[in-house]
Amino acid sequence: MTKRKQQLKLVNRIKKYKEVVVNMIIPIDEHKNQIEMIKHEKNKQIKMKLIGVLILDLGNRSINAVAKACNCCWRFAKKSYNLVLNITETNNNPETRGRKKLTDKYPELENDIKAIIENSLLIDPRFKSEKQYVKMSIQEIKKRLIKTGKYSNKSFSNSSLNNIVNQMGYKLKKVQKIKPLKKIEETDAIFENVQKKKQEAMEDKYTALISLDTKDKVLLGPFSRGGKNRVQIEAVDHELTNNCLIPFGILDIKNNTPYFFNYTSKPTSLDLVDCIEEFYVEQYYNTDVNKLSILLDNGPDNSGIRTIFLKGLIEVSKKYNIKIELIYYPPYHSKYNPVERLWARLENVWNGYLLETKEICLAFMKNLTWKNSHSVTKLKEVKYEKGLTVEKVEMKALENRYITRTQSIKKWSVLIIP
C-alpha cells in the first residue's frame, strides 16, 4: 500500500471521531489551525489520532517539533504516530505490558525445578517455620535444568531463577541448626533407596504412599510455647506436669489427607500398627490399592528390627491381602520425612495459645487443613502392654516366609508380602 493510500485510509477513520475534521492532510499554511484544534481537544484518543495524522503529513522527523507545538512530550507524540501507522496498538491492560515472565515463556519450568530439588528438601526440626529449605545452589539447579535439554545457558539468569525458586516457597538458605549429628556408612545408599521407592510408589496407581511419625509430647496446661498473639496472654513460668498429649500422625502423600491419632500416654508398637490399619480401612479398603508404602524414621517403636511391630504389620498384610513396604530414612535425617511439615504447621497454628486441655488441642487439629484437605483427628487409648517382643525362633520363621529385605540396607528397606 502506498503512502498516499495510507493517508486516505486514516482520514476516513478519523472522520467518525471528529465531525470538524474533514480532511486532515492540509496545506502547510493551515497547520496552525490544526495545532490549535489539537490543543483544545479534550478527548485523549481523538487527540492522539490528530497528532499522529499531523506527524504523518509532515514526516516522522517532525515528532519533536509537533510535540513542542502541541504542548506534549515527544513520547506521547511518537505513540500517537505509531498508533496511526498501526505499528503498535494502544493497550491499557497492565498485565500485558513489559517483558514476559519466565514461567509464561517456559510453562514447564516450575515442574522441572520441583523434580530436581524434590529430594533435597528439609525443614526446621524445631518446627519454628513451615518453609522448606534446599541444600542446593542456584548454579547447581541451573546446571541440572540445562541437562534436561529444554533450556540453554542463556534461557535465564541466576537471579531470575533464584526469584522463581523463592516464589515457589523454597528458601535457598542452609539452616545451620539442622545439620545431622553424624552420618553412617549406609546414608547415601539409604537415600538412593528412598528416592527410588518413592518414585515407584508415586507412579503406580495401585500403591498408596504415606508418611508417619510420632510427635514429641505436648504438655497440657497454662504454659508458654514461644508463640505470639494480638491478645495479651499470661503463662506460668514452670512446666512441671505429667499431663500431656502425644500425637501420632499419618500424611497421605497422594491424596494430601492428614490423620492425627492422639494418646494421653506413650503408644506402643502395636498401637501404631492399629492406627495404620485403621487408616488403611478408612481410606483404601475396597479399592484397587494392593500395596501400602510407608515413609518413616527408624525410631525405637517402629524400626526395621522391632519384632512386635513387624509381626503386627504382617498380620495386617495377611488380613487385607496387601503388600506393605517400609521405607526408612537414615538415622539423624528424619527432618526429610514429609510428615514433619505437618508438625511444623501445627506448631505455627497453636503456638500463640495456652493448651490447657486436650479438647483445645483436638480442636486445633480438627481445624487444620493440608492442601485444602481437612484433617481427621481422633483420641485413642493405649491398648497393649509395653515391652512385648517376639521369640527369635518365631520371628525367624516370619522373616523367611513374609519379609524381604534389600541386602545392602536390610534395616532400612523392608517389604512384607502376604
Side-chain angles (χ1 to χ4, degrees):
M1 184 182 294
T2 63
K3 183 176 179 180
R4 183 62 183 172
K5 289 183 178 179
Q6 287 181 340
Q7 293 174 346
L8 293 174
K9 183 178 179 181
L10 292 170
V11 169
N12 294 331
R13 291 177 58 190
I14 292 172
K15 283 182 180 179
K16 66 178 181 179
Y17 292 102
K18 195 71 175 177
E19 294 180 358
V20 180
V21 181
V22 178
N23 185 3
M24 297 304 301
I25 311 304
I26 53 181
I28 296 177
D29 58 349
E30 296 184 7
H31 284 332
K32 293 181 180 180
N33 295 334
Q34 187 176 355
I35 291 172
E36 290 297 322
M37 186 188 307
I38 292 172
K39 288 181 179 179
H40 291 88
E41 179 58 55
K42 295 182 179 180
N43 188 302
K44 181 180 178 181
Q45 296 296 327
I46 296 177
K47 189 172 185 177
M48 290 180 67
K49 293 180 184 298
L50 293 173
I51 293 174
V53 170
L54 179 59
I55 296 173
L56 184 66
D57 185 32
L58 298 175
N60 58 4
R61 291 176 179 243
S62 64
I63 292 177
N64 285 334
V66 172
K68 290 180 181 180
C70 297
N71 295 330
C72 64
C73 67
W74 69 271
R75 291 185 181 85
F76 183 80
K78 185 176 182 180
K79 186 176 180 180
S80 302
Y81 174 64
N82 290 335
L83 176 65
V84 172
L85 286 179
N86 284 329
I87 295 175
T88 179
E89 293 289 338
T90 302
N91 192 345
N92 293 322
N93 186 4
E95 295 179 357
T96 61
R97 295 175 185 170
R99 188 183 301 173
K100 285 187 177 181
K101 295 181 179 179
L102 281 176
T103 51
D104 295 335
K105 190 175 181 181
Y106 303 106
E108 299 181 0
L109 180 59
E110 290 190 357
N111 292 332
D112 292 338
I113 294 174
K114 286 181 181 179
I116 289 173
I117 67 178
E118 181 180 9
N119 296 297
S120 299
L121 299 176
L122 45 121
I123 68 162
D124 181 3
R126 298 180 300 164
F127 311 126
K128 297 298 182 182
S129 172
E130 196 180 325
K131 291 182 179 179
Q132 291 178 293
Y133 298 89
V134 184
K135 290 181 62 176
M136 187 182 295
S137 66
I138 284 295
Q139 291 79 3
E140 181 63 22
I141 295 176
K142 183 176 181 179
K143 183 179 178 181
R144 297 194 183 186
L145 285 172
I146 294 173
K147 283 185 177 180
T148 62
K150 301 179 183 179
Y151 315 96
S152 66
N153 192 38
K154 296 182 179 180
S155 296
F156 35 73
S157 63
N158 290 348
S159 59
S160 299
L161 185 60
N162 183 68
N163 292 335
I164 292 175
V165 175
N166 285 338
Q167 290 169 6
M168 292 170 63
Y170 305 116
K171 190 174 180 64
L172 294 179
K173 183 179 180 181
K174 186 176 179 181
V175 183
Q176 297 296 327
K177 291 187 177 181
I178 57 176
K179 285 184 178 180
L181 298 179
K182 61 181 179 179
K183 180 179 178 180
I184 63 174
E185 294 180 0
E186 299 92 343
T187 296
D188 293 336
I190 296 172
F191 268 124
E192 290 178 4
N193 179 70
V194 171
Q195 183 177 358
K196 177 183 176 183
K197 298 294 185 182
K198 185 178 178 181
Q199 185 68 25
E200 291 176 355
M202 292 297 293
E203 294 176 354
D204 186 5
K205 65 179 181 178
Y206 301 110
T207 300
L209 180 63
I210 66 174
S211 172
L212 57 85
D213 185 35
T214 303
K215 192 183 185 305
D216 291 337
K217 64 180 179 180
V218 180
L219 296 179
L220 301 180
F223 310 123
S224 171
R225 302 184 58 81
K228 297 180 180 179
N229 199 315
R230 294 188 181 275
V231 180
Q232 185 174 359
I233 297 176
E234 296 182 354
V236 298
D237 58 350
H238 289 83
E239 299 182 356
L240 301 177
T241 180
N242 292 324
N243 191 17
C244 65
L245 195 70
I246 301 177
F248 172 70
I250 297 179
L251 178 61
D252 192 329
I253 305 298
K254 290 186 176 181
N255 296 331
N256 299 315
T257 305
Y259 264 69
F260 295 110
F261 299 95
N262 298 277
Y263 294 87
T264 54
S265 59
K266 190 175 186 298
T268 65
S269 298
L270 290 179
D271 288 307
L272 302 185
V273 171
D274 285 351
C275 294
I276 296 172
E277 179 181 0
E278 188 171 338
F279 166 82
Y280 172 79
V281 171
E282 292 185 5
Q283 292 292 321
Y284 293 105
Y285 189 61
N286 290 330
T287 66
D288 295 332
V289 172
N290 56 20
K291 184 179 179 181
L292 184 63
S293 295
I294 305 175
L295 298 171
L296 67 170
D297 55 41
N298 218 317
D301 295 320
N302 59 345
S303 72
I305 56 174
R306 186 76 167 94
T307 57
I308 193 67
F309 179 69
L310 295 176
K311 182 180 178 182
L313 290 179
I314 290 173
E315 295 299 326
V316 174
S317 175
K318 292 164 56 180
K319 183 177 180 180
Y320 299 102
N321 192 30
I322 59 168
K323 297 178 182 178
I324 299 178
E325 187 167 25
L326 303 179
I327 308 168
Y328 289 94
Y329 284 93
Y332 312 108
H333 290 76
S334 60
K335 58 185 172 290
Y336 291 94
N337 199 350
V339 74
E340 299 288 348
R341 294 186 64 206
L342 198 60
W343 301 136
R345 175 165 298 184
L346 185 60
E347 287 290 344
N348 288 327
V349 167
W350 70 21
N351 261 357
Y353 299 88
L354 300 182
L355 306 180
E356 298 183 287
T357 63
K358 59 187 177 184
E359 287 74 19
I360 295 176
C361 295
L362 297 177
F364 276 111
M365 293 181 184
K366 289 179 181 178
N367 291 329
L368 185 143
T369 58
W370 183 262
K371 297 184 179 179
N372 299 324
S373 297
H374 286 277
S375 63
V376 179
T377 304
K378 300 182 180 184
L379 183 63
K380 309 287 287 184
E381 293 183 0
V382 174
K383 298 192 303 182
Y384 302 95
E385 297 180 7
K386 295 182 179 179
L388 295 177
T389 58
V390 182
E391 295 293 335
K392 290 184 179 181
V393 176
E394 182 184 358
M395 192 62 212
K396 186 175 181 180
L398 293 174
E399 283 264 357
N400 295 334
R401 184 172 181 180
Y402 300 106
I403 295 179
T404 303
R405 297 178 182 269
T406 304
Q407 291 300 317
S408 59
I409 48 173
K410 293 184 177 181
K411 292 195 300 183
W412 295 279
S413 181
V414 182
L415 177 62
I416 301 174
I417 303 176

